[in-house]
Coordinates of all heavy atoms in Angstrom, one line a residue:
V70 N 8.4 20.5 5.2 CA 7.4 20.7 6.3 C 7.4 19.4 7.1 O 7.3 19.4 8.3 CB 6.0 21.0 5.7 CG1 4.9 21.0 6.8 CG2 6.0 22.4 5.0
L71 N 7.5 18.3 6.4 CA 7.4 17.0 7.1 C 8.7 17.0 8.1 O 8.6 16.3 9.1 CB 7.5 15.9 6.1 CG 7.5 14.4 6.6 CD1 6.3 14.1 7.5 CD2 7.6 13.4 5.6
H72 N 9.8 17.4 7.7 CA 11.1 17.5 8.4 C 10.8 18.1 9.8 O 11.2 17.5 10.8 CB 12.2 18.2 7.8 CG 13.4 18.4 8.6 ND1 14.3 17.4 8.9 CD2 13.7 19.5 9.4 CE1 15.2 17.8 9.7 NE2 14.9 19.1 10.0
F73 N 10.1 19.2 9.9 CA 9.9 19.8 11.1 C 8.8 19.0 12.0 O 9.1 19.0 13.3 CB 9.3 21.2 10.9 CG 10.4 22.1 10.3 CD1 10.2 22.5 9.0 CD2 11.5 22.4 11.0 CE1 11.2 23.4 8.4 CE2 12.4 23.3 10.5 CZ 12.4 23.7 9.1
L74 N 7.9 18.4 11.4 CA 7.0 17.4 12.2 C 7.8 16.3 12.8 O 7.6 15.9 13.9 CB 5.9 16.9 11.3 CG 4.9 18.0 10.8 CD1 4.0 17.4 9.7 CD2 4.2 18.6 11.9
L75 N 8.7 15.7 11.8 CA 9.5 14.6 12.4 C 10.5 15.1 13.5 O 10.7 14.3 14.4 CB 10.4 14.0 11.1 CG 9.6 13.3 10.1 CD1 10.5 12.9 9.0 CD2 9.1 12.0 10.8
L76 N 11.1 16.3 13.3 CA 12.0 16.8 14.4 C 11.2 16.9 15.7 O 11.8 16.5 16.7 CB 12.5 18.1 13.9 CG 13.6 18.8 14.8 CD1 14.8 17.8 14.9 CD2 14.0 20.1 14.2
A77 N 10.0 17.4 15.7 CA 9.3 17.5 16.9 C 9.0 16.1 17.5 O 9.1 15.9 18.7 CB 7.9 18.3 16.7
A78 N 8.6 15.2 16.7 CA 8.3 13.8 17.2 C 9.6 13.2 17.7 O 9.5 12.6 18.8 CB 7.8 12.9 15.9
A79 N 10.8 13.4 17.2 CA 12.0 12.9 17.7 C 12.3 13.5 19.0 O 12.7 12.7 20.0 CB 13.1 13.1 16.6
I80 N 12.2 14.8 19.1 CA 12.6 15.4 20.4 C 11.6 14.9 21.5 O 12.1 14.6 22.5 CB 12.5 16.9 20.2 CG1 13.7 17.4 19.3 CG2 12.6 17.6 21.5 CD1 13.6 18.8 18.8
W81 N 10.3 14.9 21.1 CA 9.4 14.4 22.1 C 9.6 13.0 22.7 O 9.6 12.7 23.8 CB 7.9 14.6 21.6 CG 6.9 14.0 22.6 CD1 6.4 14.6 23.6 CD2 6.3 12.8 22.5 NE1 5.6 13.8 24.3 CE2 5.5 12.6 23.6 CE3 6.5 11.6 21.7 CZ2 4.8 11.4 23.9 CZ3 5.8 10.5 22.0 CH2 4.9 10.4 23.1
S82 N 9.9 12.2 21.6 CA 10.0 10.8 21.9 C 11.4 10.5 22.8 O 11.4 9.7 23.6 CB 10.2 10.0 20.6 OG 10.4 8.6 20.9
L83 N 12.5 11.2 22.4 CA 13.7 11.0 23.0 C 13.7 11.7 24.4 O 14.4 11.1 25.4 CB 14.8 11.4 22.2 CG 15.1 10.7 20.9 CD1 16.0 11.3 20.0 CD2 15.5 9.2 21.2
A84 N 13.1 12.8 24.6 CA 13.2 13.6 25.8 C 12.1 13.4 26.8 O 12.3 13.4 28.0 CB 13.3 15.1 25.5
L85 N 10.9 13.0 26.4 CA 9.8 13.1 27.2 C 9.0 11.7 27.3 O 8.5 11.4 28.4 CB 8.7 14.1 26.8 CG 9.3 15.5 26.7 CD1 8.2 16.5 26.1 CD2 9.7 16.0 28.2
K86 N 9.1 10.9 26.4 CA 8.3 9.7 26.3 C 9.2 8.6 27.0 O 10.4 8.5 26.8 CB 8.1 9.3 24.8 CG 7.3 7.9 24.8 CD 7.1 7.6 23.3 CE 6.5 6.2 23.1 NZ 7.5 5.2 22.9
P87 N 8.5 7.9 27.9 CA 9.3 6.8 28.6 C 9.7 5.6 27.6 O 8.9 5.4 26.7 CB 8.3 6.3 29.7 CG 7.0 7.1 29.5 CD 7.1 8.0 28.5
G88 N 10.7 5.1 27.8 CA 11.2 4.0 27.0 C 12.5 3.5 27.4 O 13.3 4.2 28.1
D89 N 12.9 2.2 27.0 CA 14.0 1.7 27.4 C 15.2 2.2 26.5 O 14.9 2.9 25.5 CB 14.1 0.2 27.5 CG 13.8 -0.4 26.1 OD1 13.8 0.2 25.1 OD2 13.6 -1.7 26.1
W90 N 16.5 1.9 26.8 CA 17.6 2.5 26.1 C 17.7 1.9 24.6 O 18.1 2.7 23.8 CB 18.9 2.1 26.8 CG 19.3 0.6 26.9 CD1 18.8 -0.3 27.9 CD2 19.9 -0.1 25.9 NE1 19.3 -1.5 27.5 CE2 20.0 -1.4 26.3 CE3 20.6 0.3 24.7 CZ2 20.6 -2.4 25.6 CZ3 21.2 -0.8 24.0 CH2 21.2 -2.1 24.3
L91 N 17.3 0.7 24.4 CA 17.3 0.1 23.1 C 16.2 0.8 22.2 O 16.6 1.2 21.0 CB 17.0 -1.4 23.2 CG 17.0 -2.1 21.8 CD1 18.4 -2.0 21.1 CD2 16.7 -3.6 21.9
E92 N 15.1 1.0 22.7 CA 14.0 1.7 21.8 C 14.5 3.2 21.6 O 14.4 3.6 20.4 CB 12.8 1.7 22.6 CG 11.6 2.4 21.8 CD 10.3 2.3 22.7 OE1 9.9 1.2 23.0 OE2 9.7 3.4 23.0
K93 N 15.0 3.8 22.5 CA 15.4 5.2 22.4 C 16.6 5.3 21.4 O 16.8 6.2 20.6 CB 15.8 5.9 23.6 CG 14.5 6.2 24.5 CD 14.6 7.3 25.4 CE 13.3 7.5 26.2 NZ 12.7 8.7 25.9
S94 N 17.5 4.3 21.4 CA 18.7 4.3 20.6 C 18.2 4.1 19.1 O 18.7 4.7 18.2 CB 19.6 3.2 21.0 OG 20.2 3.3 22.3
L95 N 17.3 3.2 18.9 CA 16.7 2.9 17.6 C 16.1 4.1 17.0 O 16.2 4.4 15.8 CB 15.9 1.7 17.6 CG 16.6 0.3 17.7 CD1 15.6 -0.8 18.0 CD2 17.5 0.0 16.5
I96 N 15.3 4.8 17.9 CA 14.7 6.0 17.5 C 15.7 7.0 17.0 O 15.5 7.7 16.0 CB 13.7 6.6 18.5 CG1 12.4 5.5 18.7 CG2 13.2 7.9 18.3 CD1 11.6 5.8 19.9
F97 N 16.7 7.2 17.9 CA 17.7 8.1 17.6 C 18.4 7.9 16.2 O 18.6 8.7 15.4 CB 18.7 8.2 18.7 CG 19.9 9.1 18.5 CD1 19.7 10.5 18.8 CD2 21.1 8.7 18.0 CE1 20.8 11.4 18.6 CE2 22.1 9.6 17.9 CZ 22.0 10.9 18.2
I98 N 18.8 6.6 16.0 CA 19.5 6.1 14.8 C 18.5 6.3 13.6 O 18.9 6.8 12.6 CB 19.9 4.7 15.0 CG1 21.1 4.6 15.9 CG2 20.3 4.1 13.6 CD1 21.4 3.2 16.3
G99 N 17.3 5.9 13.8 CA 16.3 6.1 12.6 C 16.1 7.5 12.2 O 16.3 7.8 11.0
F100 N 15.9 8.3 13.1 CA 15.7 9.7 12.8 C 16.9 10.3 12.2 O 16.9 11.2 11.3 CB 15.2 10.6 14.0 CG 13.7 10.5 14.2 CD1 13.2 9.7 15.2 CD2 12.8 11.2 13.5 CE1 11.8 9.5 15.4 CE2 11.5 11.1 13.7 CZ 10.9 10.3 14.6
G101 N 18.1 9.9 12.8 CA 19.4 10.5 12.3 C 19.6 10.1 10.8 O 20.1 10.9 10.0
F102 N 19.4 8.8 10.4 CA 19.4 8.3 9.1 C 18.5 9.1 8.1 O 18.9 9.6 7.1 CB 19.0 6.9 8.9 CG 20.1 6.0 9.4 CD1 19.9 4.6 9.7 CD2 21.5 6.2 9.4 CE1 20.8 3.7 10.1 CE2 22.4 5.4 9.8 CZ 22.1 4.1 10.1
Y103 N 17.3 9.4 8.6 CA 16.4 10.1 7.7 C 16.8 11.5 7.5 O 16.7 12.1 6.5 CB 14.9 10.1 8.3 CG 13.9 10.5 7.4 CD1 13.3 9.7 6.5 CD2 13.4 11.9 7.4 CE1 12.3 10.2 5.5 CE2 12.5 12.3 6.5 CZ 12.0 11.4 5.6 OH 11.0 11.9 4.7
F104 N 17.2 12.2 8.6 CA 17.6 13.6 8.5 C 18.8 13.7 7.7 O 19.0 14.7 7.0 CB 17.8 14.2 9.9 CG 16.6 14.3 10.8 CD1 16.7 14.3 12.2 CD2 15.3 14.4 10.2 CE1 15.4 14.4 12.9 CE2 14.2 14.6 10.9 CZ 14.2 14.5 12.3
A105 N 19.7 12.8 7.8 CA 21.1 12.8 7.1 C 20.9 12.5 5.5 O 21.6 13.0 4.8 CB 22.0 11.8 7.6
T106 N 19.9 11.6 5.3 CA 19.7 11.3 3.9 C 18.7 12.2 3.1 O 19.0 12.9 2.2 CB 19.4 9.8 3.7 OG1 18.2 9.5 4.5 CG2 20.5 9.0 4.2
V107 N 17.5 12.1 3.6 CA 16.3 12.8 3.0 C 16.3 14.2 3.2 O 16.3 15.1 2.3 CB 14.9 12.1 3.4 CG1 13.9 12.9 2.7 CG2 15.0 10.7 2.9
S108 N 16.2 14.7 4.5 CA 16.2 16.1 4.9 C 17.3 17.0 4.4 O 17.2 18.0 4.0 CB 16.0 16.3 6.4 OG 14.7 15.7 6.8
N109 N 18.6 16.4 4.6 CA 19.7 17.1 4.1 C 19.8 17.4 2.7 O 20.0 18.5 2.2 CB 21.0 16.4 4.6 CG 22.3 17.2 4.3 OD1 22.3 18.4 4.6 ND2 23.2 16.5 3.7
A110 N 19.5 16.4 1.9 CA 19.4 16.5 0.4 C 18.4 17.4 0.0 O 18.5 18.2 -0.9 CB 19.4 15.1 -0.2
N111 N 17.2 17.3 0.6 CA 16.1 18.2 0.3 C 16.4 19.6 0.6 O 16.1 20.5 -0.2 CB 14.9 17.6 1.0 CG 13.6 18.4 0.5 OD1 13.3 18.4 -0.6 ND2 12.9 19.0 1.5
G112 N 17.0 19.9 1.7 CA 17.3 21.2 2.1 C 18.3 21.8 1.2 O 18.2 23.0 0.8
H113 N 19.2 21.0 0.7 CA 20.2 21.5 -0.3 C 19.6 21.9 -1.5 O 19.9 22.9 -2.1 CB 21.3 20.4 -0.5 CG 22.4 20.9 -1.4 ND1 23.4 21.7 -0.9 CD2 22.6 20.8 -2.8 CE1 24.2 22.0 -2.0 NE2 23.7 21.4 -3.1
E114 N 18.6 21.0 -1.9 CA 17.8 21.3 -3.2 C 17.1 22.6 -3.0 O 17.1 23.5 -4.0 CB 16.9 20.2 -3.4 CG 15.9 20.4 -4.6 CD 16.6 20.5 -6.0 OE1 17.7 20.0 -6.2 OE2 16.0 21.3 -6.8
L115 N 16.5 22.8 -1.9 CA 15.6 24.0 -1.7 C 16.5 25.4 -1.7 O 16.0 26.4 -2.1 CB 14.8 24.0 -0.4 CG 13.7 23.0 -0.5 CD1 13.0 22.8 0.9 CD2 12.6 23.4 -1.5
I116 N 17.7 25.3 -1.2 CA 18.4 26.5 -1.1 C 18.9 27.0 -2.5 O 19.3 28.2 -2.6 CB 19.7 26.4 -0.2 CG1 20.8 25.4 -0.8 CG2 19.4 26.1 1.2 CD1 22.1 25.5 -0.1
H117 N 18.7 26.2 -3.5 CA 19.1 26.6 -4.9 C 17.9 27.2 -5.6 O 17.9 27.4 -6.9 CB 19.8 25.6 -5.6 CG 21.1 25.2 -5.1 ND1 22.2 26.0 -5.2 CD2 21.5 24.1 -4.4 CE1 23.2 25.4 -4.6 NE2 22.8 24.3 -4.1
R118 N 16.7 27.3 -5.0 CA 15.5 27.7 -5.6 C 15.4 29.2 -5.8 O 16.2 30.0 -5.2 CB 14.3 27.3 -4.8 CG 14.1 25.8 -4.7 CD 13.8 25.2 -6.1 NE 13.7 23.8 -6.0 CZ 12.6 23.1 -5.9 NH1 11.5 23.8 -5.7 NH2 12.6 21.8 -5.9
G119 N 14.6 29.6 -6.8 CA 14.4 31.1 -7.0 C 13.5 31.7 -6.0 O 13.7 32.9 -5.7
S120 N 12.6 31.0 -5.4 CA 11.7 31.6 -4.4 C 12.3 31.8 -3.2 O 13.1 31.0 -2.6 CB 10.5 30.7 -4.3 OG 9.8 31.0 -3.1
H121 N 12.2 33.1 -2.5 CA 12.7 33.4 -1.3 C 12.2 32.5 -0.1 O 13.0 31.9 0.7 CB 12.4 34.8 -0.9 CG 12.9 35.3 0.4 ND1 14.3 35.4 0.7 CD2 12.3 35.5 1.6 CE1 14.4 35.7 2.0 NE2 13.3 35.7 2.6
F122 N 10.9 32.0 -0.3 CA 10.4 31.1 0.7 C 11.1 29.8 0.7 O 11.4 29.2 1.7 CB 8.8 31.0 0.6 CG 8.2 29.9 1.4 CD1 8.1 30.1 2.7 CD2 7.8 28.7 0.8 CE1 7.5 29.1 3.5 CE2 7.3 27.7 1.5 CZ 7.1 27.9 2.9
E123 N 11.2 29.3 -0.5 CA 11.9 27.9 -0.6 C 13.4 28.0 -0.1 O 13.8 27.0 0.5 CB 11.7 27.5 -2.1 CG 10.3 27.1 -2.4 CD 10.2 26.7 -3.9 OE1 10.9 27.4 -4.7 OE2 9.5 25.8 -4.2
R124 N 14.1 29.0 -0.5 CA 15.4 29.1 -0.1 C 15.5 29.2 1.5 O 16.4 28.6 2.2 CB 16.1 30.3 -0.7 CG 16.5 30.1 -2.1 CD 17.4 31.3 -2.6 NE 17.1 32.7 -2.2 CZ 16.3 33.5 -2.9 NH1 15.8 33.0 -4.1 NH2 16.1 34.7 -2.6
L125 N 14.6 30.0 2.1 CA 14.6 30.2 3.5 C 14.1 28.8 4.2 O 14.8 28.4 5.2 CB 13.5 31.2 3.9 CG 13.5 31.6 5.3 CD1 14.9 32.2 5.8 CD2 12.4 32.7 5.6
L126 N 13.3 28.1 3.6 CA 12.8 26.8 4.1 C 14.0 25.8 4.0 O 14.2 25.0 4.9 CB 11.6 26.2 3.2 CG 10.8 25.1 3.8 CD1 10.3 25.4 5.2 CD2 9.7 24.7 2.8

Side-chain angles (χ1 to χ4, degrees):
V70 172
L71 179 62
H72 170 79
F73 294 109
L74 296 172
L75 289 171
L76 187 58
I80 292 169
W81 175 82
S82 180
L83 292 171
L85 301 174
K86 181 179 173 262
D89 62 6
W90 67 271
L91 180 59
E92 182 178 303
K93 291 205 180 248
S94 297
L95 288 169
I96 289 169
F97 180 81
I98 291 167
F100 278 101
F102 280 159
Y103 191 86
F104 294 153
T106 57
V107 176
S108 293
N109 184 47
N111 189 56
H113 183 85
E114 172 66 26
L115 286 171
I116 64 170
H117 294 291
R118 294 297 175 92
S120 161
H121 177 70
F122 171 73
E123 288 175 321
R124 285 194 315 270
L125 190 59
L126 194 58

